[in-house]
């Protein structure tokens, strides 16, 4: 566990860091790196939380709403249902901005889990058991070293995903974005189930190696 | 540290199951297993967070073809926001119990309130309400007793909540998950020190080897 005694200091650093990141992008730097982008998303969530900032929300909306919609369509929703659900997911982001904890997940991961939950509620019409103690409620401001560590891990994972052999990456994408179980992927692709399982396992194993 | 949190878990969920939970593609009964196990297992909680992170990166960077929002969509969302805060359920209160909170939610109460039904040889069960793709139930095996000899059609996961059991795959304590697929024939045997309570989920009905258990099976929905 990281020390909580540095909270005051780290909170201050956090604000400066985010402002700097925001400025970097606002200046119009041609090459907005993923890392800067992720910092910008975090500061957007904080602006929604602190100032009900619609411009920050619009920025997140432009990037994520169509992606959430695409995710839901791939999961079997029709266009109008996906549209409505994507709007609801983004509204949830607004309402729950105070619960977002950047030491536990990136903004994209947080939105992904909201969208995934919505998919289970609406499309699969199932109850959705969640583990104990997984509320997104930081009782205090998260420790900035934890936030940075998580950002670095996200960056590493993102790079590792892009360098994964195509066959492995595509199957992982299908598992998330095709709403297919491994045996359904087998039926669809004609590949033996064992091949699919081992490719996904290899892919995850490789991701795990890069995270060490 | 929560006393009910097991630190001795050696038998974990597979990547495939954790990834399925993360992607939202598992049957409800399996989600219940994952949520219950992760409530007790920090290692799988970390793995699950990594799976969610993969989902986040794919959502952020994956090429999603042809999915623009409708014109007026942003204004509609702002209107939705201004209508008010949606009702959100209160976070589960963490209290020490044999049953982690996801299971208490399904039962609607705690262990003492469960309506057990005998299924023979001293074993009792309580079926939990889930969607039909897979089933979930609690099993109570008396200390030292065996489950009826059975094999599996599909995938079955059995997690210990209280006591312990032994089968061909090893010794299972609180939090451990025994994963059996269609090939395995096994006879779990409860440890003699305490009655064993398990959560068992399956995507196919169990089949029993003897004739009597097979007749029983049609009556008791095991």
């Amino acid at each position: 566990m990281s020390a909580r005694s540095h909270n005051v200091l780290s909170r201050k650093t956090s604000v400066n860091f985010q402002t700097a990141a925001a400025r970097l992008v606002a200046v119009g730097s041609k090459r907005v790196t993923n890392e800067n982008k992720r910092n910008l998303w975090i500061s957007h969530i904080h602006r929604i939380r602190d100032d009900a900032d619609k411009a920050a929300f619009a920025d997140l909306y432009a990037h994520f709403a169509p992606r959430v919609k695409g995710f839901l369509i791939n999961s079997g929703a029709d266009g109008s249902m996906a549209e409505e659900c994507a709007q609801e997911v983004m509204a949830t982001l607004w309402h729950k901005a105070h619960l977002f904890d950047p030491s536990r997940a990136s903004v994209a991961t947080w939105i992904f889990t909201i969208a995934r939950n919505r998919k289970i509620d609406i499309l699969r019409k199932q109850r959705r058991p969640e583990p104990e103690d997984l509320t997104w409620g930081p009782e205090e401001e998260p420790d900035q070293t934890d936030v940075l560590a998580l950002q670095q891990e996200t960056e590493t994972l993102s790079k590792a995903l892009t360098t994964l052999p195509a066959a492995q990456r595509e199957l992982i994408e299908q598992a998330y974005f095709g709403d297919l179980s491994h045996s359904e992927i087998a039926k669809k692709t004609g590949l033996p189930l064992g091949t699919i399982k081992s490719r996904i396992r290899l892919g995850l194993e490789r991701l795990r190696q890069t995270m060490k | 540290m929560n006393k009910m949190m097991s630190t001795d878990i050696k038998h974990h969920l597979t990547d495939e199951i954790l990834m399925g939970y993360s992607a939202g593609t598992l049957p409800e009964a399996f989600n219940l297993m994952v949520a219950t196990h992760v409530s007790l297992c920090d290692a799988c909680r970390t793995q699950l967070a990594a799976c969610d992170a993969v989902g986040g990166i794919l959502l952020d960077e994956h090429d999603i073809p042809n999915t623009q929002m409708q014109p007026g969509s942003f204004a509609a969302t702002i209107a939705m926001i201004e209508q008010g805060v949606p009702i959100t359920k209160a976070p589960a209160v963490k209290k020490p119990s044999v049953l982690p909170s996801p299971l208490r939610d399904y039962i609607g109460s705690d262990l003492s309130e469960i309506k057990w039904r005998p299924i023979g040889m001293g074993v009792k069960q309580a079926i939990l309400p889930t969607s039909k793709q897979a089933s979930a139930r609690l099993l109570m095996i008396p200390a030292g007793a065996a489950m009826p000899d059975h094999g599996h059609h599909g995938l079955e996961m059995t997690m210990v909540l209280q006591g312990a059991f032994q089968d061909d795959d090893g010794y299972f304590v609180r939090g451990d998950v025994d994963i059996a697929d269609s090939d395995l024939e096994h006879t779990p045997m409860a440890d003699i020190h305490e009655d064993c309570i398990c959560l068992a989920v399956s995507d196919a009905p169990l089949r029993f080897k003897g004739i009597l258990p097979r007749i029983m099976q049609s009556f008791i929905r095991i």
Side-chain angles (χ1 to χ4, degrees):
Chain A
M1 245 329 170
S2 41
R4 294 275 167 190
S5 51
H6 298 301
N7 270 351
V8 177
L9 184 65
S10 53
R11 181 169 196 173
K12 204 169 175 185
T13 322
S14 149
V15 170
N16 290 341
F17 187 58
Q18 282 155 14
T19 319
R23 199 180 302 126
L24 223 163
V25 177
V27 160
S29 147
K30 271 183 195 154
R31 200 168 46 84
V32 181
T33 65
N34 283 335
E35 222 164 332
N36 291 336
K37 192 184 68 183
R38 290 195 196 100
N39 278 319
L40 183 67
W41 297 150
I42 294 174
S43 69
H44 278 4
I45 299 278
H46 289 166
R47 278 163 57 194
I48 294 168
R49 176 193 67 188
D50 298 337
D51 307 319
D53 186 328
K54 285 185 186 153
F57 183 64
D59 226 13
L60 286 169
Y61 197 93
H63 182 69
F64 284 107
R67 292 174 168 274
V68 169
K69 186 175 176 180
F71 169 66
L72 293 164
I73 287 174
N74 280 4
S75 300
D78 64 30
S80 63
M81 182 186 261
E83 168 79 26
E84 198 187 324
C85 283
Q87 290 185 21
E88 284 165 1
V89 167
M90 296 311 289
T92 303
L93 173 150
W94 177 287
H95 289 308
K96 293 194 172 176
H98 63 291
L99 295 176
F100 172 67
D101 179 350
S103 70
R104 294 174 73 162
S106 72
V107 172
T109 299
W110 186 53
I111 296 174
F112 170 73
T113 57
I114 296 172
R116 183 267 322 273
N117 292 349
R118 201 75 198 130
K119 170 180 100 166
I120 296 172
D121 293 342
I122 297 298
L123 284 181
R124 297 175 81 94
K125 296 190 172 62
Q126 291 180 0
R127 282 177 73 184
R128 187 166 39 74
E130 286 184 73
E132 260 176 31
D133 188 32
L134 264 197
T135 49
W136 292 90
E139 289 178 1
E140 337 170 32
E141 197 69 17
D143 194 307
Q144 194 56 23
T145 48
D146 292 345
V147 176
L148 284 175
L150 188 109
Q151 285 178 333
Q152 275 160 12
E153 281 169 19
T154 307
E155 185 60 26
T156 310
L157 189 60
S158 161
K159 285 200 177 114
L161 259 172
T162 58
T163 56
L164 219 52
Q168 291 169 17
R169 184 189 157 92
E170 279 163 21
L171 285 177
I172 289 176
E173 284 182 347
Q174 283 200 40
Y176 280 87
F177 282 75
D179 198 38
L180 298 173
S181 69
H182 293 184
S183 24
E184 287 163 340
I185 297 175
K187 258 179 229 154
K188 194 178 150 195
T189 57
L191 288 168
L193 183 58
T195 307
I196 287 166
K197 286 184 188 231
S198 70
R199 277 187 194 168
I200 290 181
R201 198 177 308 127
L202 280 171
L204 289 175
E205 196 49 48
R206 192 183 279 241
L207 294 179
R208 193 170 298 143
Q209 288 304 321
T210 60
M211 300 302 286
K212 277 182 182 161
Chain B
M1 176 62 79
N2 183 346
K3 195 166 122 260
M4 301 305 285
M5 174 81 79
S6 178
T7 49
D8 304 322
I9 298 173
K10 292 193 177 65
H11 302 272
H12 296 275
L13 294 169
T14 61
D15 283 344
E16 179 179 354
I17 292 291
L18 288 169
M19 199 167 143
Y21 181 93
S22 177
T25 53
L26 295 183
E28 186 180 345
F30 285 14
N31 280 339
L32 181 60
M33 172 60 79
V34 174
T36 305
H37 178 76
V38 167
S39 294
L40 300 177
C41 179
D42 287 342
C44 287
R45 191 186 286 269
T46 307
Q47 286 302 314
L48 182 59
C51 288
D52 287 347
V54 169
I57 289 164
L58 292 176
L59 181 72
D60 196 7
E61 299 169 16
H62 179 89
D63 296 322
I64 295 172
N66 197 23
T67 49
Q68 288 179 351
M69 297 297 281
Q70 294 287 322
S73 145
F74 183 74
T77 308
I78 293 291
M80 193 188 288
I81 287 166
E82 283 165 355
Q83 270 175 17
V85 183
I87 300 154
T88 52
K89 61 174 182 179
V93 181
K94 199 171 175 176
K95 58 171 183 180
S97 164
V98 167
L99 306 179
S101 65
L103 268 181
R104 288 202 301 276
D105 289 349
Y106 265 73
I107 295 161
S109 64
D110 214 333
L111 197 59
S112 55
E113 308 285 312
I114 293 173
K115 293 193 178 63
W116 294 102
R117 289 173 188 280
I119 57 169
M121 308 186 199
V123 179
K124 292 184 280 187
Q125 75 171 2
I127 293 173
L128 306 178
T130 62
S131 71
K132 295 218 184 307
Q133 299 160 286
S135 65
R137 64 216 162 98
L138 289 169
L139 288 169
M140 159 96 80
I141 309 163
M147 275 285 286
D149 195 12
H150 65 283
H152 305 263
H153 285 297
L155 175 65
E156 190 190 49
M157 295 183 276
T158 309
M159 186 179 125
V160 177
L161 296 162
Q162 174 191 295
F165 72 76
Q166 173 92 46
D167 74 5
D168 300 344
D169 293 340
Y171 187 72
F172 294 80
V173 299
R174 178 171 166 84
D176 278 330
V177 186
D178 191 10
I179 300 176
D181 63 20
S182 27
D183 304 328
L184 192 76
E185 298 266 343
H186 71 170
T187 312
M189 180 85 75
D191 191 280
I192 54 166
H193 294 103
E194 196 177 6
D195 290 348
C196 181
I197 297 175
C198 297
L199 170 67
V201 301
S202 169
D203 60 4
L206 301 179
R207 63 195 141 94
F208 289 93
K209 274 164 78 182
I211 177 72
L212 190 62
R214 233 181 299 139
I215 295 170
M216 273 167 48
Q217 191 170 352
S218 53
F219 288 104
I220 58 182
R221 280 217 296 151
I222 193 171

